[in-house]
Amino acid sequence: MVTSKVERQINLVICLLSTKQYVTAEYIHRNVSGYHDQERSDEAFNRMFERDKNDLRDLGVPLVTGPSPESGIEGYRIDPDSYSLPDITLDEQEAAAIAMAAALWDNSDVSTISQTAVLKLQAAGIDVRADDEIGVAAVSQRSLGGEQSLAPTLAAIDGGQAITFTYRAGATSSGELRTLEPWGVVTHRGRWYVVGHDRGREATRTFRLSRLSDVTATGPAGVVHRPEHTDLQQIVADAVDSATGSDGRAAHVWVASGRAAGLRRLATSSAPAVFDGEDGDDLVIEIRSLSTLARMILAVGPDAVVREPAELRDLVVAGLDRIAGVNA
């Protein structure tokens, strides 16, 4: 079966985003699905590869070149720091587009493609970036949540209607019927939130979409409008920070150079440091949840070491002991 152009270019992006090394055209020809699914001459491959590179660059993908560490031949990779995006606020059309993209990544076909590309790189001995640094596997492991609530919420926002829904503040909480005049949908720290005017509370409120059910549009269309100069992203950030809070402590964690992107994003400061002869950085991270931070550190493996506090270090050590016991 011939791979479509879009799927082939997705495969190429995943391949080049996953590797920390420069990948040669020869390797791409042999291993990336879409280039090797049927016999092509070197000339035909080169023409196709050049077109795809130009297309990606035209789309703003930061494709960079450099020598392959094994052969010295020119290779390719994508700089993930230049490719990543900050948290964004979405209007109705943008939110709809992102929702479609999120649904696409959850599709089993695309998920298989992404996993296959990474596995092929690992099988070839190429050091790929960890799942939390790529952002591909993270979608399936830590879903944005609220997919069933997203579509009717976006439809109501687009139509200028209020919505009613059942809201559960936590996993053990009973449901409560709420009515909201929705202004927009925002992503924050990997989750969907809807912001608007709560008619029952007569105040601005933020709701995580994964905690909503039975979302239904109510009332006439065209009557709900987002107030001018309203910063939805800031409203959500303030609401989340207020709900989670900080216990006033900070963790000091050493991470290896070029690793632990998830921890680096949480850090309030970073300073170069050497640990056990290896270059890296000392991060200062505000503690919001010891257990959550411990899980993130465990996910990084040997590329992260807790310096303090002792309570966090003990949690990580206990986690390592459990892992060792399972694998024994």
Side-chain angles (χ1 to χ4, degrees), residues 65-86:
T65 59
S68 167
E70 296 180 356
S71 63
I73 299 173
E74 182 180 65
Y76 306 87
R77 64 186 294 267
I78 293 172
D79 179 9
D81 293 332
S82 301
Y83 194 57
S84 60
L85 292 173

Side-chain angles (χ1 to χ4, degrees), residues 78-327:
I78 293 172
D79 179 9
D81 293 332
S82 301
Y83 194 57
S84 60
L85 292 173
D87 287 334
I88 57 174
T89 300
L90 307 175
D91 61 25
E92 294 91 339
Q93 290 76 23
E94 292 169 338
I98 296 298
M100 292 174 64
L104 173 63
W105 280 112
D106 279 337
N107 180 278
S108 59
D109 293 337
V110 178
S111 176
T112 301
I113 293 168
S114 65
Q115 294 172 17
T116 300
V118 173
L119 287 173
K120 286 180 177 178
L121 287 166
Q122 292 173 331
I126 295 177
D127 182 21
V128 299
R129 301 180 69 83
D131 288 346
D132 72 316
E133 298 178 71
I134 300 171
V136 173
V139 173
S140 59
Q141 295 175 0
R142 182 189 173 197
S143 173
L144 287 168
E147 290 84 357
Q148 293 181 345
S149 301
L150 182 58
T153 300
L154 291 175
I157 293 171
D158 187 49
Q161 285 183 282
I163 55 174
T164 61
F165 52 85
T166 301
Y167 177 68
R168 289 178 172 79
T172 60
S173 303
S174 58
E176 180 183 4
L177 186 64
R178 306 290 282 269
T179 301
L180 184 75
E181 297 176 5
W183 297 336
V185 171
V186 170
T187 61
H188 183 72
R189 295 180 182 172
R191 301 185 188 279
W192 291 112
Y193 294 87
V194 58
V195 183
H197 176 74
D198 188 320
R199 289 180 176 175
R201 301 299 191 271
E202 287 296 328
T204 300
R205 288 291 186 267
T206 298
F207 298 92
R208 189 194 300 178
L209 281 180
S210 60
R211 293 178 177 173
L212 273 58
S213 59
D214 303 322
V215 178
T216 305
T218 184
V223 300
V224 176
H225 303 283
R226 172 178 165 182
E228 292 186 11
H229 311 300
T230 300
D231 189 340
L232 300 184
Q233 190 71 60
Q234 189 60 53
I235 292 173
V236 171
D238 291 343
V240 173
D241 289 344
S242 175
T244 58
S246 169
D247 64 7
R249 292 181 295 168
H252 294 257
V253 182
W254 176 89
V255 296
S257 293
R259 308 298 292 175
L263 292 173
R264 291 179 184 275
R265 285 192 292 269
L266 295 179
T268 58
S269 66
S270 173
V274 176
F275 180 82
D276 199 21
E278 185 174 355
D279 291 335
D281 300 280
D282 276 334
L283 307 181
V284 177
I285 301 174
E286 188 179 70
I287 297 176
R288 298 184 180 276
S289 168
L290 273 175
S291 60
T292 299
L293 184 54
R295 287 195 296 270
M296 292 184 68
I297 293 170
L298 284 168
V300 179
D303 292 323
V305 178
V306 178
R307 295 192 185 272
E308 58 181 65
E311 183 180 0
L312 176 61
R313 185 166 57 246
D314 291 344
L315 277 176
V316 173
V317 171
L320 291 172
D321 288 342
R322 287 194 299 272
I323 294 172
V326 169
N327 294 332

